[in-house]
């Protein structure tokens, strides 16, 4: 790696971590220290933990789907719901020109309008809303991983096009690969969700049938394999032309773990563990870096202090998220009578919160230049 490339990667890491006016730490050295520790705590170590869990994941298809439901519920309770519960403070912390009142007011309106639209869509067209939720989650989970790589200062994704390809791959692994490897359980979850809004027995199964045609599965599988190979290959070309090989090796390693995890583990269990251990933790780390107090704790090596600060901020709206789950549960036409129904209600509520959350994260991406990696070099 050349000296210029090394310097550029360090500058990219600092800029992505702080963003314009983020104020996470005034000195570049402190910002770099916070970014490195956050990356280690919230991304690299959890990735190693997921790799270590591969033998466990491999046997989960032998267990009843209720085991996966329990794992999903535990992951959601532990951290999944909390990871978006600080959205109302993101504009305040990422933009020095935004006041606390404006930050809370704007994000509240975004959540009310977009979240309400999602719930209305499920009542009006549950199959289309389900497909939209899968597509939105695909986008968002890829969005989160690309931001994590940017904060880590990876050097082999220097163009917006390459980062968008990485988004397609990273988001598609948890959403697309289970359809290829475990279509029966994937379909069962789809029927549970759609069935909340269709009272007629058997209507949900018929409604989702086109989504699970063999051609759809083959298309998703071939598309994911081709996109993965293209992303890895383009990154390798960048390394051969002088970009840092370390970030590319990390990217390839994480992709290998994710491919194995979602091929082997039962879908509900796989997504529940991934949601808490991978996606949510990475976003929590990102939020630590835009909070000056939490970032200072991270820079000093105080992981407990950084997490305590985040937990304090997230607690009120985490509770609010569970109230949203309850509100959806009492309003669905088919009612809630089984563990599958509880999972379905939770997913509909998560869908309602995901769309506004994506909007907030997209704004943060723009502030931090995640999709303009060469800006300012």
């Amino acid at each position: 790696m050349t000296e210029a490339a090394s310097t550029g990667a360090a500058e990219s890491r600092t800029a992505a971590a702080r963003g314009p006016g983020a104020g996470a730490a005034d000195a570049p050295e402190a910002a770099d220290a916070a970014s490195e520790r956050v990356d280690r705590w919230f991304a690299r170590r959890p990735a190693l933990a997921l790799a270590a869990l591969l033998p466990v994941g491999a046997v989960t298809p032998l267990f009843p789907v209720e085991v996966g439901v329990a794992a999903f519920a535990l992951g959601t309770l532990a951290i999944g719901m909390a990871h978006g519960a600080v959205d109302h403070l993101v504009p305040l912390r990422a933009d020095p020109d935004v006041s606390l009142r404006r930050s809370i007011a704007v994000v509240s309106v975004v959540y009310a309008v977009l979240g309400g639209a999602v719930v209305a869509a499920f009542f009006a067209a549950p199959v289309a809303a389900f497909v939209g939720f899968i597509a939105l989650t695909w986008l968002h989970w890829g969005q989160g991983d690309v931001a994590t790589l940017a904060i880590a200062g990876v050097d082999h994704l220097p163009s917006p096009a390459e980062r968008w390809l990485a988004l397609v791959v990273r988001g598609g692994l948890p959403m697309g690969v289970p359809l290829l490897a475990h279509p029966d359980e994937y379909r069962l979850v789809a029927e549970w969700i759609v069935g909340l809004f269709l009272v007629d027995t058997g209507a949900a199964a018929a409604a989702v049938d086109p989504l699970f045609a063999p051609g759809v599965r083959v298309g998703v599988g071939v598309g994911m394999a081709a996109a993965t190979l293209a992303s890895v290959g383009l990154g390798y070309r960048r390394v051969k032309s002088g970009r840092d090989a370390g970030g590319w090796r990390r990217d390839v390693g994480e992709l290998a773990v994710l491919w194995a995890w979602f091929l082997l583990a039962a879908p509900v269990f796989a997504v529940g563990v991934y949601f808490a251990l991978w996606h949510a933790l990475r976003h929590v780390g990102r939020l630590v870096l835009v909070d000056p107090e939490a970032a200072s704790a991270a820079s000093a090596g105080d992981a407990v202090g950084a997490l305590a600060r985040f937990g304090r901020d997230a607690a009120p709206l985490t509770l609010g998220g569970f109230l949203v789950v309850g509100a959806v549960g009492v309003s669905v036409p088919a009612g809630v009578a089984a563990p599958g129904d509880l999972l379905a209600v939770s997913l509909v509520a998560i869908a309602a919160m995901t769309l506004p959350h994506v909007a907030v994260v997209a704004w943060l991406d723009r502030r931090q230049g995640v999709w303009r990696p060469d800006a300012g070099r």
Side-chain angles (χ1 to χ4, degrees), residues 54-80:
L54 283 172
V56 176
V59 300
T60 54
L62 303 176
F63 300 149
V65 69
E66 286 77 12
V67 173
V69 173
F72 187 93
L74 181 61
T76 301
L77 285 169
I79 192 170

Side-chain angles (χ1 to χ4, degrees), residues 18-26 93-94 289-293 295-296:
R18 297 174 68 193
D26 290 334
R93 290 172 176 169
L289 290 174
V290 297
D291 175 9
E293 291 187 27
S296 294

Side-chain angles (χ1 to χ4, degrees), residues 19 42 75 87 89 104 135 158 167 184 196 264 286 302 313 339 358:
F42 296 99
D87 280 358
L89 299 177
I104 293 175
L167 178 151
D184 292 341
L196 292 174
L264 294 173
R286 187 179 186 184
D302 183 7
D313 291 340
V358 167

Side-chain angles (χ1 to χ4, degrees), residues 190-203:
E191 291 179 9
W192 283 342
I193 292 174
V194 173
L196 292 174
F197 303 93
L198 300 176
V199 178
D200 293 342
T201 303

